[in-house]
Amino acid sequence: FVKIADIAATIGPAGVFFGRLANFINGELWGKVTDVPWAFLFPKSGYYSQILGQYMIEPRHPSQLYAAGLEGLLLFLYVQFRFWFTNVSRRRPGRLVGELFIGYALVRIFGEIYREPDRGIDLILGLSRGQFYSIFMIFIGGLFIYNSSSKRHQHYQK
């Protein structure tokens, strides 16, 4: 299982990359309101202002592009490097998928800083849903890494 998981981990970030680009094209999962020069206007993010009597759209972070770059491209390059230029998958099956879980969780926690939280969803312990669930991904990744270094895998290395 872990050998197949390591192989699957090499293409997972590519799927995330294209998924986040689709989120951007569809104008969903937009970022927080901002005044940075690269901000975008997402029509679905607007609201009706009773005071002004019109539909308002504010510039927002393109958090989908941040996620595509971090969760997709950056992790894809990292995992590809680890798979092709080190012997991590052969010597320690499961470690690569564990590293992917932890790496994904860390960049997701960072990227969520710029993303607008889902409407109607309260923060959990001051964290967005994505940040909160990422804590569990770090734990799962740690289990994969711990399991890959346990004594029962030593016979694979011979």
Side-chain angles (χ1 to χ4, degrees):
F1 170 77
V2 291
K3 288 182 178 185
I4 293 172
D6 278 348
I7 294 169
T10 64
I11 59 169
V16 173
F17 176 78
F18 290 114
R20 296 303 185 202
L21 288 182
N23 293 144
F24 178 73
I25 292 167
N26 291 331
E28 54 197 24
L29 305 178
W30 53 80
K32 293 179 179 177
V33 174
T34 185
D35 61 355
V36 297
W38 58 87
F40 280 81
L41 296 174
F42 296 99
K44 295 178 187 176
S45 72
Y47 62 94
Y48 184 79
S49 171
Q50 294 286 344
I51 297 169
L52 298 175
Q54 64 184 17
Y55 192 72
M56 303 293 296
I57 301 173
E58 298 174 298
R60 295 177 174 272
H61 280 285
S63 61
Q64 315 93 322
L65 298 180
Y66 301 165
L70 293 171
E71 300 168 10
L73 188 58
L74 179 68
L75 286 179
F76 179 79
L77 294 173
Y78 174 79
V79 172
Q80 290 297 315
F81 175 80
R82 292 284 286 154
F83 185 79
W84 293 104
F85 296 106
T86 71
N87 61 2
V88 66
S89 293
R90 189 170 42 85
R91 298 214 45 201
R92 296 181 67 188
R95 182 172 177 92
L96 187 60
V97 73
E99 290 176 9
L100 176 62
F101 269 97
I102 291 172
Y104 180 84
L106 293 175
V107 296
R108 177 88 189 254
I109 288 169
F110 175 74
E112 287 278 322
I113 294 169
Y114 299 100
R115 187 170 163 244
E116 184 73 27
D118 297 326
R119 288 191 180 141
I121 304 293
D122 292 332
L123 296 179
I124 305 166
L125 303 173
L127 303 171
S128 72
R129 258 190 337 184
Q131 289 173 323
F132 182 74
Y133 295 146
S134 291
I135 294 169
F136 297 103
M137 291 185 71
I138 291 170
F139 177 73
I140 291 168
L143 288 176
F144 271 101
I145 290 172
Y146 174 77
N147 188 46
S148 74
S149 62
S150 69
K151 295 246 187 243
R152 58 194 193 105
H153 286 292
Q154 298 301 321
H155 69 278
Y156 290 127
Q157 297 177 9
K158 294 180 182 176

